[in-house]
Amino acid sequence: MTAVSLGVPELPVRPVSPRRASRRIQVGPVAVGGDAPVSVQSMTTTRTSDIGATLQQIAE
């Protein structure tokens, strides 16, 4: 398959700034910052194993 030019100029690649190093700290049992994995906090009051109730609460 051949690419078709749509007449839109290509944008130059923007250089990526180096990330600022951060310290790893503990917030209770959860590591935050540094090389710690991203943590996600649920903002629902239902048990997340109850998918139907959790989705209903999110929709509300």
Side-chain angles (χ1 to χ4, degrees):
M1 180 174 233
T2 306
V4 176
S5 174
L6 299 176
V8 180
E10 289 191 27
L11 296 175
V13 177
R14 292 177 52 189
V16 177
S17 299
R19 292 182 61 92
R20 182 176 55 86
S22 62
R23 292 182 299 140
R24 184 177 186 156
I25 63 167
Q26 289 292 128
V27 179
V30 180
V32 178
D35 61 348
V38 174
S39 298
V40 177
Q41 178 179 358
S42 171
M43 300 302 285
T44 60
T45 58
T46 58
R47 296 184 62 82
T48 54
S49 59
D50 185 351
I51 297 169
T54 302
L55 291 174
Q56 180 64 39
Q57 190 175 76
I58 291 169
E60 291 172 357

